Amino acid sequence: MAHALVSPNAAAYSSGRDISRTLESARNQVEERFLEGGTVLLSVMDVLNRLLNSLESVTTALDNKEASDTTADLRATVESLKALPVTEENRQQALVSLAHTGRELRKHVSDMQETMRYLRTFAVTVKITGAGLAEFAGFAQEILERIYSGTDEVNRFATHLDSLDKEVKLAASFGASVSKGYAETVPAVAAALRDDAAKIAAHRKDLGVIAREVGAIARDVQSKVGSTLSALQIGDITRQRIEHVQATFSSLDDFFAGEDGARLDASARQRLQNVIHHLTAAQMRDMCANFQRDSENVVKTIASFGHDMREILKLRDQMSGQSGEAGGNFMRALESSVSAAHEIVKQVDTASRQADQVSQSTIGTAAKLSEAIANIRAVKTDIHYMALNTNLRCSRLGEEGKSINVVTAELRIFAGKLDDSADAIVNGLPALEAAAGRVAPAAGAGAGNLGESLTSAVGNIRSAANVMEDELKVLAENGREVATKVSLLIGKLDFQHDLGEVLGRCADLLEGIAGSDIEDISDLAETIAPLDRTIFKHYTMVQERSIHRDIIPAAADSAPAPAPTETAKAENDEDLFADALF
């Protein structure tokens, strides 16, 4: 009879162990799925951090003060370029002034050459007239040689002026062509450079706006990932509650195998088993409801990642597009403008070199002219005194020296004219030097400096563009990886599929075994108190204890329940992440 009563109980417990095995399978799936989900989430968090670091690098490159300074330098260079037409016009006016001054001096040189021709004529006349006088023969030859010497000095003087005039004309001719070219090209080139600089600045500004938008979305996703990691505690909670249900069945088995359980008859065993089935069914049903609610929120949050990722990829493509095609066009346009500017700079350099050469030649010519004037004055003085001596000798010779005396007097008069021309030339030399100074380019304003400024500015802009390009490539790669990780995450964390169904089937099975009515075991309260305390100690959540006490009221000597663990708040995100990963 006793054996007959025990057999149905053994069969019932066999189904309980079957339920435990089903629960173990569900627990393993929960643990595996949530562990995998937590790993994927952490990998998403890692790539998000890299994405934000890339954005920071992009922002740093965009905010690069050197790049801003370079753009400012380019604008300053453009202003210098715009000033070239005025500079060249001033140089042309200085060349005109120099040419005019040279022509004025050339008039005086021509007068000196004419005077020297007269002096040669008089000297030859003296030689012929005094041919019969032995004491005048050597003197006449000497005076003639001094006149020839003076003539050579005047001719060299004229040659210097002629050479200077040719240089001035060449520089003026080239400068006129350059000046016309400036009028046609400089405004357009300067405007193109200025527009290119403005476009680059605007381009960088647009990239900065997009980078901030990407950063805002990425940080929002980062916050969502953190929240999702925290919400994954539902997996740990579900796993624990499954273990608690399993422990309940195990505790019941141990109780029936012990002394207290052995004292129960078959009816008491059946009633206790029914209550335990109702208890575990209630725990499973509550667990399923909580799992359904919380995992649904997790899935909704993860699903929202898809929209965020599409926005990030769209913005990333905008940045890559602007930096790639548009940015490249900006740089090509800038370099084309700079190439045109360099052609102008070459012309400036050639004109400047010619102007500098003219200026230096003029200053050198002025020095040579001063030296030549001194020599001419010396020749004039020699001729004057030689003629004077001749007059004195002729006076002693009386009638015989009268004809020579007339000629030498003319020599003295025309030699004096050399002084007038020399004085005029000496007075004109400062004006010649001043005009030469205005022709020479100002110190520090040469084309070389302008060309170096252009090259340096474009080199710096190109360098900044390359840095930006590299950073955007890294950003694009990280953005693509984030999108891939999130797509994987959405597939991995579909908890409703399979898991929810498995847990629901377990709850349905327990409810089916328990039946609709709960047996009365109030008469067994004292006997089952040890079992009650053992099961109750397993719980870590208020909900579990409340459900337990709704079905199995507390005995008079039951120990107070420990403080609920779920009310303890994690102090920081790292605690939440650790809990989420079990």
Side-chain angles (χ1 to χ4, degrees):
M1 181 70 175
H3 177 73
L5 289 173
V6 171
S7 294
N9 293 335
Y13 270 89
S14 175
S15 64
R17 284 191 293 272
D18 291 340
I19 292 173
S20 290
R21 283 193 293 271
T22 302
L23 289 172
E24 179 62 17
S25 175
R27 188 192 70 79
N28 288 334
Q29 289 185 55
V30 168
E31 185 172 23
E32 180 181 353
R33 186 73 64 84
F34 276 85
L35 181 61
E36 186 177 19
T39 301
V40 174
L41 275 174
L42 285 177
S43 67
V44 170
M45 182 68 81
D46 177 64
V47 75
L48 276 172
N49 288 335
R50 294 205 301 275
L51 178 66
L52 289 171
N53 288 336
S54 297
L55 281 170
E56 185 176 350
S57 297
V58 169
T59 304
T60 300
L62 288 170
D63 294 338
N64 188 342
K65 187 176 183 300
E66 290 184 5
S68 301
D69 291 344
T70 297
T71 304
D73 291 343
L74 183 59
R75 291 195 182 101
T77 304
V78 168
E79 294 304 313
S80 298
L81 196 62
K82 286 166 62 179
L84 288 177
V86 175
T87 301
E88 188 56 34
E89 180 61 28
N90 292 336
R91 180 180 293 155
Q92 285 299 299
Q93 292 177 2
L95 285 169
V96 169
S97 176
L98 180 60
H100 175 74
T101 303
R103 284 193 298 272
E104 290 299 315
L105 289 178
R106 190 69 179 79
K107 291 178 183 178
H108 298 300
V109 171
S110 296
D111 290 342
M112 292 177 73
Q113 287 176 318
E114 184 68 20
T115 300
M116 294 308 295
R117 281 195 294 273
Y118 278 114
L119 288 174
R120 285 198 305 274
T121 300
F122 289 129
V124 171
T125 302
V126 168
K127 188 173 183 180
I128 294 171
T129 304
L133 301 174
E135 61 182 298
F136 286 112
F139 169 73
Q141 182 61 35
E142 184 180 356
I143 214 170
L144 189 59
E145 289 176 358
R146 293 300 292 154
I147 290 171
Y148 282 142
S149 173
T151 300
D152 289 341
E153 288 290 345
V154 172
N155 288 339
R156 277 195 295 272
F157 196 111
T159 300
H160 290 319
L161 281 180
D162 289 343
S163 176
L164 176 63
D165 186 59
K166 289 179 181 178
E167 288 184 6
V168 170
K169 286 181 179 178
L170 180 62
S173 174
F174 180 79
S177 174
V178 169
S179 183
K180 182 181 178 182
Y182 285 171
E184 295 173 352
T185 59
V186 167
V189 170
L193 282 172
R194 185 175 58 250
D195 291 346
D196 293 338
K199 287 177 182 177
I200 289 172
H203 172 62
R204 294 172 66 83
K205 184 178 179 181
D206 291 342
L207 285 179
V209 171
I210 297 174
R212 286 191 289 274
E213 290 179 7
V214 174
I217 296 174
R219 279 185 284 274
D220 184 52
V221 174
Q222 192 179 45
S223 176
K224 288 180 180 179
V225 171
S227 299
T228 305
L229 278 168
S230 176
L232 285 185
Q233 288 183 96
I234 184 59
D236 190 39
I237 292 171
T238 301
R239 175 183 59 78
Q240 289 182 41
R241 294 190 69 174
I242 291 174
E243 290 173 350
H244 297 164
V245 171
Q246 291 174 304
T248 299
F249 282 118
S250 179
S251 297
L252 181 61
D253 284 341
D254 292 343
F255 177 77
F256 281 147
E259 294 181 4
D260 292 334
R263 290 197 295 269
L264 297 178
D265 58 20
S267 174
R269 283 172 174 263
Q270 187 275 328
R271 282 186 293 136
L272 177 58
Q273 190 177 45
N274 173 266
V275 170
I276 294 300
H277 284 158
H278 276 283
L279 173 62
T280 55
Q283 295 285 12
M284 282 298 298
R285 183 58 62 194
D286 183 72
M287 178 207 312
C288 286
N290 290 343
F291 179 84
Q292 180 76 19
R293 181 190 66 243
D294 293 345
S295 62
E296 185 176 343
N297 291 334
V298 170
V299 171
K300 284 181 179 178
T301 301
I302 294 172
S304 71
F305 290 175
H307 172 73
D308 295 331
M309 286 303 101
R310 285 191 296 274
E311 287 299 308
I312 286 179
L313 291 176
K314 183 170 71 175
L315 293 171
R316 181 208 66 181
D317 292 341
Q318 287 183 26
M319 294 186 78
S320 298
Q322 285 200 16
S323 176
E325 182 180 353
N329 286 338
F330 290 153
M331 287 308 304
R332 284 194 293 274
L334 176 64
E335 288 170 349
S336 175
S337 301
V338 169
S339 177
H342 270 301
E343 288 301 316
I344 294 174
V345 168
K346 288 179 183 177
Q347 296 176 358
V348 174
D349 193 41
T350 302
S352 295
R353 283 198 304 272
Q354 282 197 333
D356 188 57
Q357 181 179 345
V358 168
S359 177
Q360 294 300 320
S361 294
T362 303
I363 293 171
T365 298
K368 292 175 183 176
L369 292 179
S370 296
E371 181 182 351
I373 288 296
N375 293 335
I376 291 169
R377 286 185 190 275
V379 169
K380 168 257 177 185
T381 301
D382 289 346
I383 293 172
H384 176 79
Y385 283 113
M386 290 172 72
L388 181 60
N389 289 333
T390 301
N391 287 144
L392 294 174
R393 290 184 181 184
C394 287
S395 298
R396 288 197 297 270
L397 289 175
E399 193 65 29
E400 191 176 21
K402 195 172 184 179
S403 58
I404 297 175
N405 198 20
V406 172
V407 177
T408 54
E410 290 294 327
L411 274 174
R412 288 171 61 195
I413 292 171
F414 276 93
K417 289 184 178 181
L418 287 176
D419 261 344
D420 296 337
S421 298
D423 288 341
I425 290 174
V426 169
N427 291 334
L429 287 180
L432 189 73
E433 292 176 332
R438 291 193 297 273
V439 169
N449 291 334
L450 189 57
E452 289 173 6
S453 297
L454 280 169
T455 302
S456 175
V458 174
N460 289 337
I461 290 174
R462 167 58 68 188
S463 176
N466 289 339
V467 170
M468 176 62 61
E469 194 72 25
D470 293 341
E471 295 297 345
L472 286 173
K473 285 179 182 177
V474 174
L475 177 65
E477 292 171 2
N478 288 333
R480 189 182 305 109
E481 187 176 356
V482 167
T484 302
K485 295 283 187 183
V486 167
S487 297
L488 177 63
L489 178 68
I490 293 173
K492 295 290 185 184
L493 299 187
D494 184 8
F495 304 120
Q496 302 302 316
H497 181 66
D498 290 340
L499 284 183
E501 296 172 0
V502 168
L503 296 174
R505 284 198 301 271
C506 288
D508 292 341
L509 178 61
L510 285 171
E511 287 176 345
I513 294 174
S516 57
D517 298 325
I518 301 178
E519 298 285 352
D520 180 13
I521 57 170
S522 57
D523 59 316
L524 304 176
E526 185 176 347
T527 303
I528 68 168
L531 174 62
D532 177 50
R533 286 193 294 272
T534 299
I535 294 174
F536 202 83
K537 285 180 181 179
H538 292 145
Y539 301 138
T540 55
M541 280 150 271
V542 171
Q543 289 170 281
E544 291 178 298
R545 299 187 188 97
S546 297
I547 293 170
H548 183 99
R549 287 301 173 220
D550 286 343
I551 295 175
I552 304 177
D557 61 344
S558 293
T565 59
E566 73 271 19
T567 59
K569 299 296 183 181
E571 293 183 0
N572 52 48
D573 289 342
E574 291 183 1
D575 293 336
L576 294 177
F577 297 164
D579 289 341
L581 296 178
F582 315 106

